[in-house]
Amino acid sequence: MSKHDRWSKLLELLAGEGRIEVDDAAAALDVSPATIRRDLDELAEQQMLVRTRGGAIAHGVSYELPLRYKSSRHAPEKQRIATAVAGMIADGDVVGLNGGTTTTEVARALALRAGGSREGRGRRDPAETSAPAFTVVTNALNIAGELAVRPQVKIVVTGGVARPQTYELVGPLTVGVLNEVVLDVAVLGVDGVDPQLGLMTHQEDEASVSRLFAERARRVIVVTDSSKMGRRAFARICGLDRVDVLVTDSGLPADTAARLTDAGIKVHAV
């Protein structure tokens, strides 16, 4: 197993458990404890974890893994959520997507839907076929990269300063672009949904951008797996009163779904 593969596996274990022990990690990866200690030391130097006696822990409430290490967590749930959301988008809609693993899956589902709908239309007038199936406005570099090669999707990328952990663009340049557009729907990924505080994320600059996505949209769809329900993070995006639809997985507790419905939110658990 290469160092990159070991690091990816270690960070996935840390994301799932919140802490890892050297001996347990060595057994899981089938390598020596000495190799795991070296890996943890190097990851700690990059501030991706905190070393402890005998292992490592996550950084705490504001801790977040780089996007590439989170992509495999709850992957089937996120793909089902993305498919459901793609079915809620009308042809020709302008869709805002913030960054994250679930919104990335939504972007892929939209691209697949757009490609399939085009293939099924047969011969059309050239002017008609040149119109995009969707327009996607995003501050996520990875989403922009995937959709830029899809001719059936018009992609608009905000400016801004890139955050390496999430590939999101933030700052005044991002805000300037979003202030000039109008969205039919904003699809927001979040790090927590608190009944009192609303939608939350780890970074305050990303929260302000996601808040602006919500403000510029006629309809707001929140996408999150059920593990984030009831969870708080550092920065507040907006209250639940701004949310029209929440799409999550079947692990959502019935009482939580009932409270959200009472608050006027349409809940889809897939």
Side-chain angles (χ1 to χ4, degrees):
M1 182 181 293
S2 69
K3 177 186 285 189
H4 177 271
D5 291 338
R6 290 199 311 273
W7 284 16
S8 295
K9 185 62 177 177
L10 286 170
L11 289 168
E12 288 171 9
L13 291 171
L14 184 63
E17 303 298 329
R19 66 181 302 116
I20 49 177
E21 302 295 332
V22 168
D23 291 341
D24 293 340
L29 274 63
D30 195 24
V31 297
S32 70
T35 298
I36 296 296
R37 292 190 189 94
R38 286 194 298 271
D39 287 339
L40 294 180
D41 287 341
E42 292 180 47
L43 288 168
E45 288 176 4
Q46 298 187 36
Q47 299 183 345
M48 297 177 74
L49 50 76
V50 176
R51 278 291 264 129
T52 63
R53 183 178 178 84
I57 60 172
H59 281 290
V61 66
S62 64
Y63 175 74
E64 63 174 330
L65 288 173
L67 184 70
R68 62 186 178 276
Y69 295 118
K70 295 194 293 185
S71 59
S72 63
R73 299 171 61 192
H74 306 287
E77 294 90 340
K78 292 174 182 178
Q79 289 164 3
R80 291 198 302 271
I81 290 168
T83 300
V85 171
M88 300 176 185
I89 307 300
D91 287 348
D93 269 359
V94 179
V95 184
L97 294 175
N98 68 352
T101 54
T102 309
T103 50
T104 297
E105 291 295 342
V106 171
R108 292 168 179 162
L110 285 173
L112 287 173
R113 178 185 152 186
S117 64
R118 287 303 171 90
E119 289 173 4
R121 291 180 182 180
R123 297 180 62 85
R124 307 284 287 190
D125 180 85
E128 190 176 344
T129 57
S130 65
F134 308 107
T135 296
V136 171
V137 180
T138 186
N139 69 320
L141 291 172
N142 66 304
I143 290 176
E146 289 202 27
L147 295 184
V149 297
R150 307 279 188 166
Q152 66 273 28
V153 179
K154 178 181 178 180
I155 179 72
V156 178
V157 187
T158 69
V161 178
R163 294 195 69 252
Q165 289 87 352
T166 60
Y167 308 145
E168 288 190 72
L169 299 169
V170 296
L173 293 174
T174 312
V175 171
V177 170
L178 289 177
N179 275 328
E180 300 300 321
V181 301
V182 176
L183 308 173
D184 292 302
V185 57
V187 180
L188 301 181
V190 298
D191 293 308
V193 180
D194 182 82
Q196 285 75 44
L197 297 177
L199 309 182
M200 310 195 78
T201 191
H202 293 309
Q203 300 295 330
E204 68 279 2
D205 49 5
E206 292 180 5
S208 64
V209 172
S210 294
R211 184 181 309 119
L212 189 51
F213 268 115
E215 291 172 356
R216 304 303 294 175
R218 178 172 52 85
R219 186 165 56 119
V220 175
I221 299 175
V222 173
V223 293
T224 180
D225 61 79
S226 60
S227 69
K228 297 176 183 176
M229 300 301 299
R231 180 185 296 181
R232 290 186 176 185
F234 175 71
R236 182 176 183 269
I237 297 172
C238 64
L240 294 180
D241 59 321
R242 192 63 190 85
V243 178
D244 297 290
V245 181
L246 184 139
V247 185
T248 186
D249 60 72
S250 58
L252 181 70
D255 58 339
T256 302
R259 287 199 300 271
L260 293 170
T261 301
D262 290 342
I265 299 173
K266 295 180 180 179
V267 178
H268 294 266
V270 296

